[in-house]
Amino acid sequence: MRIGILQCDHVKSELQPKFGNYPEMFATMIHAQNPQHELLNFAACDAELPDQTDLCEAYILTGSASSVYEDLQWIRDLEAFVRSLHQQKIPTVGICFGHQLLAQALGGETLKSPKGWGVGVAHHRVVVNKDWMIPKVEEVKVLVSHQDQVTKLPPQAQRILQSEFCPNAMFQLGEHTIGCQGHPEFLPEYSHALMEMRKGKMPEKVRQAGLDSLTKSTELGPIPIWIENFLKSHRKP
């Protein structure tokens, strides 16, 4: 399968030598499930989008330090592009910022949460089990790093994962679009490095709790497997 990575930001330059940029992170995650996938990267944050939607069989939107409600041209262009993907029923997955942008572009709402930062390992409850959610579990652990949240799902969207902190942690809209607030592409070491860089930029109690969560049981998943299952089962014939 040819998968387009719609890159919405760049990893901080000082962290790239160890962790790579977002396309490398997603390549590692995707190829761990199926090394046969062909990946094409489009730096949407630098105004680069595919010339046509069917250039790839599926797309994944990455995270970003930007907010989807910022008045930036590249965000508006990306929203228009994902609306076309949804209309044409091309499988699309949004991660963190990508999740929030999908929600906003397709009729929902994203805002800065009054609950503040979500960092470290988050525990989400499974609300609905879909056929692509194999293995089936009751709770999902995933790394998170966000202040914004999807506050209203798009019409007809179905909530998949939730927690008290993040009620709309994952959703599905139609048969070809899913969004996930967490970062299944992150390594715990990268999450740790981000929190170290943000010392003084978030409440220290929150930051320390996030760091502490990395030292506990962190059997992360199975979201990478779910994404592979979703893309495989919903690709066009």
Side-chain angles (χ1 to χ4, degrees):
M1 185 186 308
R2 176 181 285 178
I3 301 173
I5 306 299
L6 299 174
Q7 184 181 349
C8 302
D9 202 353
H10 297 276
V11 170
K12 291 184 179 297
S13 58
E14 56 266 49
L15 297 180
Q16 287 194 32
K18 184 173 183 180
F19 300 106
N21 207 344
Y22 287 118
E24 288 76 33
M25 290 186 183
F26 277 92
T28 298
M29 181 191 80
I30 292 166
H31 286 150
Q33 306 305 319
N34 187 336
Q36 300 303 313
H37 288 319
E38 178 186 358
L39 305 182
L40 298 181
N41 185 60
F42 303 92
C45 58
D46 298 326
E48 181 186 358
L49 289 171
D51 294 331
Q52 52 196 55
T53 53
D54 61 359
L55 191 62
C56 297
E57 298 168 83
Y59 290 89
I60 296 179
L61 287 77
T62 76
S64 176
S66 297
S67 294
V68 299
Y69 45 78
E70 292 181 64
D71 187 19
L72 298 174
Q73 188 59 49
W74 74 265
I75 293 177
R76 303 288 83 81
D77 292 344
L78 183 56
E79 285 186 312
F81 186 76
V82 301
R83 280 192 286 268
S84 295
L85 295 178
H86 184 64
Q87 291 165 1
Q88 295 170 39
K89 298 184 177 181
I90 297 173
T92 305
V93 177
I95 300 298
C96 195
F97 172 93
H99 158 79
Q100 298 162 3
L101 185 134
L102 286 177
Q104 178 172 283
L106 300 174
E109 179 184 68
T110 294
L111 296 172
K112 181 165 288 188
S113 173
K115 298 176 183 178
W117 279 95
V119 291
V121 179
H123 297 244
H124 295 143
R125 299 183 300 277
V126 174
V127 181
V128 175
N129 273 297
K130 296 290 188 177
D131 56 1
W132 47 268
M133 294 168 64
I134 302 294
K136 292 190 179 297
V137 295
E138 295 182 356
E139 184 183 81
V140 172
K141 294 179 185 178
V142 63
L143 292 165
V144 299
S145 181
H146 65 105
Q147 296 184 82
D148 296 339
Q149 289 197 31
V150 173
T151 52
K152 184 174 73 175
L153 291 173
Q156 284 79 56
Q158 190 169 25
R159 183 182 291 112
I160 301 295
L161 300 178
Q162 70 175 121
S163 68
E164 290 184 11
F165 182 82
C166 187
N168 297 309
M170 190 172 191
F171 71 87
Q172 179 171 344
L173 179 58
E175 291 300 313
H176 300 86
T177 304
I178 58 172
C180 176
Q181 179 59 65
H183 282 279
E185 82 283 10
F186 277 12
L187 294 174
E189 294 82 2
Y190 179 68
S191 179
H192 187 282
L194 279 182
M195 284 185 275
E196 288 292 354
M197 292 186 71
R198 287 172 176 156
K199 188 172 185 177
K201 298 180 180 179
M202 66 175 65
E204 184 57 23
K205 183 177 179 181
V206 172
R207 193 182 75 92
Q208 194 58 55
L211 289 170
D212 290 345
S213 73
L214 300 179
T215 67
K216 299 173 183 177
S217 175
T218 56
E219 187 178 342
L220 302 172
I223 293 176
I225 303 173
W226 288 358
I227 291 173
E228 167 66 15
N229 294 342
F230 177 81
L231 295 179
K232 183 169 59 178
S233 61
H234 293 87
R235 68 187 295 186
K236 288 188 176 182

